[in-house]
């Protein structure tokens, strides 16, 4: 995939926002009181380019809970502190095709967590890692996090090498295979964009070597994926031809 110029990306992001801003499908995650009370009309989209420029539209300054999107940097931290092979051995990298909190997924894997991007595997990953850095210096926005993955572990904004370059394709492959839980296959078939969702309404997408994209809107579908954010990122991926396949 060739890199896209700033004007082209800006146009796609703005068009996606305009096309999707009136979407009313889905509902907030009501099993977490804080998320149930987040204004359901919030909506924002951002893209981070290789030069560190961030293109943003909508409610991108709102601080929301990224929830399961945090499983991505946790998995990266585990692989960076140990190795990709050790994480594969101890946790796994298999897609479950089941909900993110599925007990059946663990049983089907013979009591193995299966992947760091579902709940059981994320708990295992957390038990492996040692916290690093300070809270103010960690990921500022999920679009920048996605761009860091797309950029071989180098944050395009700070120019800091955050993790080993060889881990980028590892985490991108995990996102591609399990990022939308039981709807992952449909998402990948439709967009070809490795992405990870969270029940806070955020979605982070990685286009290797090109950019990171993200969108946020609290109302979710039955699998826990933001309805509006999905549509926005699907439009951007299609408009800019970001299908990695």
């Amino acid at each position: 995939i060739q890199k896209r110029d700033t004007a082209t990306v800006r146009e796609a992001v703005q068009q996606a926002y305009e096309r999707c801003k009136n979407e009313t499908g889905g509902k907030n995650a009501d099993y977490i009181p804080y998320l149930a009370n987040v204004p359901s009309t919030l909506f924002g989209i951002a893209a981070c380019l290789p030069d560190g420029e961030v293109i943003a539209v909508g409610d991108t300054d709102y601080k929301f809970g990224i929830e399961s999107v945090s499983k991505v940097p946790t998995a990266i931290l585990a692989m960076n502190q140990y190795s990709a092979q050790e994480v594969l051995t101890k946790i796994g990298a298999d897609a479950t095709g089941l909900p993110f909190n599925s007990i059946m997924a663990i049983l089907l894997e013979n009591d193995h967590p299966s992947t760091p991007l579902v709940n059981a595997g994320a708990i295992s990953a957390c038990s492996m890692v040692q916290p690093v850095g300070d809270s103010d210096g960690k990921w500022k926005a999920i679009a920048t996090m996605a761009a860091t993955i797309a950029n071989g572990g180098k944050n395009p904004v700070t120019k800091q090498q955050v993790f080993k370059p060889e881990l980028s394709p590892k985490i991108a492959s995990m996102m591609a295979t399990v990022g939308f839980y039981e709807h992952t296959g449909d998402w990948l078939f439709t967009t070809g964009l490795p992405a990870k969702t969270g029940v806070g309404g955020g979605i982070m997408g990685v286009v290797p070597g090109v950019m990171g994209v993200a969108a946020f809107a609290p109302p979710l579908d039955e699998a826990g994926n933001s309805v509006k954010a999905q549509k926005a990122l699907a439009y951007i991926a299609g408009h800019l031809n970001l299908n990695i396949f």
Side-chain angles (χ1 to χ4, degrees):
I1 301 175
Q2 293 183 341
K3 293 180 180 179
R4 303 295 188 266
D5 64 82
T6 302
T8 301
V9 176
R10 189 181 305 279
E11 179 184 27
V13 169
Q14 186 64 48
Q15 288 179 352
Y17 181 80
E18 296 299 331
R19 283 172 173 262
C20 302
K21 66 182 180 181
N22 295 322
E23 167 65 47
T24 58
K27 67 175 185 175
N28 288 33
D30 54 13
Y31 54 89
I32 300 176
Y34 173 80
L35 298 182
N37 294 322
V38 173
S40 61
T41 56
L42 290 169
F43 177 42
I45 310 172
C48 185
L49 305 180
D51 62 0
E53 181 173 2
V54 177
I55 297 165
V57 63
D59 302 306
T60 54
D61 290 330
Y62 185 86
K63 295 181 179 179
F64 66 95
I66 66 171
E67 302 294 329
S68 286
V69 176
S70 67
K71 291 169 181 171
V72 173
T74 301
I76 291 171
L77 189 58
M79 290 190 288
N80 206 49
Q81 290 184 355
Y82 294 88
S83 69
Q85 183 59 48
E86 188 158 354
V87 169
L88 181 65
T89 300
K90 290 185 175 181
I91 300 175
D94 282 337
T96 67
L98 295 169
F100 58 87
N101 57 354
S102 174
I103 299 299
M104 181 60 68
I106 301 174
L107 298 176
L108 291 173
E109 291 283 339
N110 297 317
D111 296 329
H112 206 258
S114 79
T115 170
L117 300 193
V118 297
N119 286 10
I123 293 170
S124 297
C126 285
S127 71
M128 294 175 66
V129 302
Q130 296 293 321
V132 295
D134 63 275
S135 58
D136 290 334
K138 293 184 179 177
W139 313 99
K140 294 293 185 182
I142 57 175
T144 305
M145 188 198 314
T148 301
I149 297 170
N151 199 35
K154 186 176 183 179
N155 185 315
V157 177
T158 66
K159 313 305 179 186
Q160 177 187 4
Q161 189 69 40
V162 181
F163 58 85
K164 299 167 187 173
E166 61 268 24
L167 298 182
S168 281
K170 303 296 185 184
I171 194 65
S173 69
M174 286 185 184
M175 293 169 67
T177 54
V178 76
F180 276 68
Y181 307 116
E182 63 265 43
H183 288 179
T184 300
D186 291 343
W187 170 260
L188 203 61
F189 181 87
T190 303
T191 68
L193 177 68
K196 182 71 186 77
T197 75
V199 297
I203 303 178
M204 174 180 71
V206 173
V207 188
V210 179
M211 71 176 80
V213 292
F216 159 65
L220 313 175
D221 64 17
E222 69 278 7
N225 307 312
S226 172
V227 173
K228 193 179 294 187
Q230 283 184 73
K231 291 187 176 182
L233 293 189
Y235 175 81
I236 293 170
H239 189 75
L240 297 178
N241 193 22
L242 301 179
N243 190 319
I244 66 169
F245 302 104

